[in-house]
Amino acid sequence: MKLVFATNNAHKLREVSQTIGECVELVSLAECGVVEDIPENEPTLEGNALVKARYIYSRTGQNCFADDTGLEVDALGGEPGVRSARYATDGHDDEANKKLLLERLAGKQNRAAQFRTAIALILDGKEYLFEGVVRGSISSEPRGDGGFGYDPLFIPEGYDLSFAEMSAESKNAISHRGRAVAALADFLKQYC
Ligand code: IMP
C-alpha cells in the first residue's frame, strides 16, 4: 500500500522506512507535489499531527500520516514539548535549542525527560492516532555527532550513550518515533 508521509526530512524518512515494514511504500511530500509549508500551530502534538494529516488528505486525496514530536523535560513542566523545534528561535535552530535547554536546566538535580511522538493516520477518510514514548535524561553537555535535533543531549533509560552516539538502527529500535511507527505498522498489518 502507498502512504504519504508528511515530511521531507531525509533523516525521518530513512528512520521510518526501516520500521514500517515492506508492505508500505512511503511517499514523501515532494514526491506528491506538496511543496508549501504546512501550518503546525496547535497546542498539542496530537493536534499538530492531525492538522498536518488532514491538510495532506484534502490536498492530495491520498492515504497519509503525519507525526509530531516533542522533548518533554520533567523539571521544566514538559517544556519544550510541542515547541521543541522553535524553542530558542523561530528558525528551527538546533544549536540554539540545545544551548537554551542546558541553560534552563543549569543547577537542577532532576534531569529526567522523554521524547514523545504522536502519529495521525488518515485511511480512506478515517482518522487514527498512535503514540510512542522513550524515557531518559538530559546530559550535562552534548555527546556524539549522529542523529539530529536534541539527540546529543538525550540519554535513553538503561543506556550510557546519547542518541547521537548510537547507530541509526539502535536508536530506531527504542526511540519514540520507532515505537509510534511500530504501533502504526502493527495496525496496518490487517490491510497488507
Ligand atoms: P518534529 O515534530 O519531528 O519535526 O520534531 C520537532 C522537533 O523535535 C525537531 O525540530 C527536533 O528539535 C526535535 N526532535 C524530533 N525528533 C527528534 C529526534 O529523534 N531526536 C532529537 N530531536 C528530535
Side-chain angles (χ1 to χ4, degrees), residues 9 12 15 40 45 52 67-71 81-86 92 94 97 115 117 147-152 154 163 171 175-177:
N9 177 324
K12 277 206 218 171
E15 275 190 15
E40 23 180 318
L45 299 175
K52 283 191 277 185
D67 71 328
D68 199 34
T69 293
L71 175 63
V82 73
R83 297 180 51 248
S84 292
R86 285 156 286 141
H92 295 218
D94 283 346
N97 287 341
F115 272 118
T117 294
F148 69 104
Y150 297 89
D151 276 348
F154 188 81
F163 265 171
K171 174 188 168 189
S175 82
H176 45 301
R177 197 163 23 257

Side-chain angles (χ1 to χ4, degrees), residues 46-47 49-55 57-58 63-65 119-130 184 187 191:
E46 287 77 8
L50 270 171
V51 160
K52 283 191 277 185
R54 285 175 189 152
Y55 183 95
Y57 193 72
S58 65
N63 289 329
C64 59
F65 67 96
I119 289 182
L121 166 73
I122 304 188
L123 201 60
D124 301 328
K126 275 197 177 168
E127 297 178 348
Y128 306 87
L129 280 171
F130 304 89
L184 169 67
F187 173 81
Y191 300 100

Side-chain angles (χ1 to χ4, degrees), residues 67-175:
D67 71 328
D68 199 34
T69 293
L71 175 63
E72 300 173 333
V73 180
D74 293 9
L76 302 178
E79 272 196 15
V82 73
R83 297 180 51 248
S84 292
R86 285 156 286 141
Y87 191 35
T89 70
D90 270 344
H92 295 218
D93 183 338
D94 283 346
E95 291 309 314
N97 287 341
K98 285 181 286 185
K99 188 165 171 280
L100 180 61
L101 180 61
L102 289 178
E103 279 167 19
R104 297 252 162 106
L105 276 179
K108 295 214 193 289
Q109 290 295 317
N110 179 6
R111 303 185 71 94
Q114 63 183 25
F115 272 118
R116 194 166 71 84
T117 294
I119 289 182
L121 166 73
I122 304 188
L123 201 60
D124 301 328
K126 275 197 177 168
E127 297 178 348
Y128 306 87
L129 280 171
F130 304 89
E131 184 189 63
V133 174
V134 58
R135 295 283 303 167
S137 62
I138 303 300
S139 61
S140 53
E141 54 185 29
R143 286 167 39 183
D145 46 24
F148 69 104
Y150 297 89
D151 276 348
L153 294 181
F154 188 81
I155 318 283
E157 227 165 59
Y159 293 78
D160 290 326
L161 299 176
S162 76
F163 265 171
E165 293 173 310
M166 293 182 165
S167 66
E169 292 72 26
S170 306
K171 174 188 168 189
N172 226 352
I174 57 165
S175 82

